[in-house]
Amino acid sequence: MRAGTTEEDGRIALIQSDIWIGFPRAEQVLDRLQGMIDAPRQTRMPGLLVHGASGIGKTMIARNLSRRYAPEYDPASGITRTPLLLLQAPPAPDERRFYLHILATVGAPATALSARAQNVASLEVRVIALLRDLGLRMIMIDEVHNLLAGTHREQRRFLNVLRYLSNELEVSLVCLGVSEAVDAIRGDIQLARRLDEHHLPNWRDDAEFSDMIQTLIAAMPLEKKSNLKVKSLKQVLALTGGVTSRIFALVKDLSIDAILTGDECITDDAIARWTPVWSRHANANRRLEKSRV
């Protein structure tokens, strides 16, 4: 393997960065979310639960939409406004931690508050006041399956908080998480009724997958076209289990190798030889464990 030049290093850095590929299933979700942001305010705002396997692309979609709505400062009012607030659910359904996280996200850290003002009721009042000033249209909660780490009672209380924020601010609520979180959400009948469900399935051996993988490979900064056989595409699917993040990892890994070896394209042989990164770690761990016996 040859040493990389400055130009090659730049291409490798580009490959290693976040890459957005607007494949149809992602654009479908984005179009639906855009429609919700544009919807007029009403007593019961529309909501959505996007669920699927870990790594299927939920967070990627959420971040893409969030980048479209970066906070904007209004010099006339002296207020920073944003129609979209993207949050990550706390590791467990903890109301206080969630409110503190919201304050930090909007640039109002709770360290400025007295200890007395940091109880749940006070935090709730402050959060509502700050979010109302932002001109929000949508709140997105990623990793919502984290609520499963709590008891049934804690889950219900956390879901009540989400429903309360949506009602009080008249904003759309979007939750993203693995499919196991669906049952927990359905445990709150009122919240479940306002959250439509959108499932993102693992990729399958069909035309949609073929188009996606070829579009992804074409987006790699390689000097030659990668003409892969159908057998290789099937191998990609088998190696990754149809999980989007793993497919991206495979293509990026092979693209970097193609630059460093001078091949400048992904070949059928390269795919046949490729070992999944997650398998490499597993094998290394097993060897380490055996050495300790």
Side-chain angles (χ1 to χ4, degrees):
M1 186 173 292
R2 64 183 186 180
T5 65
T6 301
E7 183 269 338
E8 289 173 345
D9 290 341
R11 287 193 289 153
I12 289 173
L14 179 62
I15 292 172
Q16 293 173 331
S17 64
D18 286 337
I19 296 176
W20 169 257
I21 302 296
F23 41 86
R25 64 162 60 179
E27 293 295 342
Q28 181 184 14
V29 178
L30 284 171
D31 288 345
R32 190 168 183 179
L33 294 174
Q34 184 66 60
M36 293 167 62
I37 289 180
D38 295 337
R41 294 191 188 276
Q42 50 193 290
T43 303
R44 177 170 292 188
M45 295 292 288
L48 187 66
L49 169 61
V50 182
H51 61 94
S54 177
I56 204 62
K58 303 178 295 295
T59 299
M60 181 173 60
I61 292 172
R63 289 178 178 174
N64 181 271
L65 185 67
S66 180
R67 282 193 288 268
R68 298 182 185 181
Y69 292 99
E72 294 184 359
Y73 178 72
D74 182 359
S77 62
I79 297 176
T80 298
R81 299 186 180 278
T82 177
L84 172 62
L85 182 63
L86 175 59
L87 303 164
Q88 181 171 308
D94 184 313
E95 300 164 73
R96 183 175 181 277
R97 179 182 290 185
F98 183 57
Y99 282 135
L100 290 173
H101 177 49
I102 292 176
L103 291 175
T105 301
V106 300
T111 51
L113 301 175
S114 65
R116 184 176 180 180
Q118 292 189 31
N119 61 64
V120 173
S122 298
L123 289 172
E124 176 186 291
V125 172
R126 180 165 173 76
V127 163
I128 290 294
L130 286 172
L131 295 187
R132 186 170 282 122
D133 287 341
L134 290 178
L136 278 179
R137 306 288 301 179
M138 175 183 289
I139 296 178
M140 300 185 76
I141 312 295
D142 197 12
E143 306 287 347
V144 73
H145 50 265
N146 287 347
L147 64 88
L148 297 173
T151 64
H152 179 69
R153 180 182 179 186
E154 290 171 336
Q155 292 177 29
R156 291 296 299 274
R157 289 183 63 178
F158 188 77
L159 293 174
N160 283 340
V161 169
L162 299 184
R163 180 158 42 84
Y164 171 73
L165 288 175
S166 177
N167 289 342
E168 189 69 16
L169 298 168
E170 293 186 338
V171 298
S172 293
L173 176 65
V174 177
C175 297
L176 305 102
V178 298
S179 295
E180 287 79 0
V182 175
D183 290 337
I185 295 290
R186 289 173 179 168
D188 186 312
I189 297 177
Q190 295 184 57
L191 184 60
R193 285 175 177 170
R194 68 179 60 185
L195 292 183
D196 292 337
E197 295 181 19
H198 189 109
H199 178 236
L200 288 173
N202 288 25
W203 295 93
R204 298 180 298 178
D205 184 13
D206 54 18
E208 183 185 23
F209 170 71
S210 179
D211 290 343
M212 185 277 288
I213 191 70
Q214 293 187 60
T215 300
L216 175 59
I217 293 174
M220 297 295 106
L222 300 176
E223 294 179 356
K224 299 178 183 178
K225 185 177 180 180
S226 301
N227 296 308
L228 298 175
K229 296 178 181 177
V230 173
K231 180 181 178 181
S232 293
L233 298 184
K234 293 179 181 292
Q235 181 69 5
V236 170
L237 195 61
L239 286 167
T240 62
V243 176
T244 307
S245 62
R246 291 185 171 186
I247 295 170
F248 273 56
L250 180 151
V251 171
K252 288 185 173 188
D253 201 11
L254 291 178
S255 297
I256 292 173
D257 283 345
I259 291 174
L260 295 177
T261 60
D263 290 338
E264 289 296 343
C265 67
I266 298 175
T267 65
D268 296 305
D269 288 341
I271 292 178
R273 295 192 306 267
W274 191 78
T275 303
V277 177
W278 42 95
S279 295
R280 296 174 208 165
H281 292 318
N283 292 334
N285 290 335
R286 281 195 291 270
R287 288 195 297 269
L288 181 61
E289 290 174 358
K290 289 181 179 179
S291 68
R292 291 175 177 174
V293 177

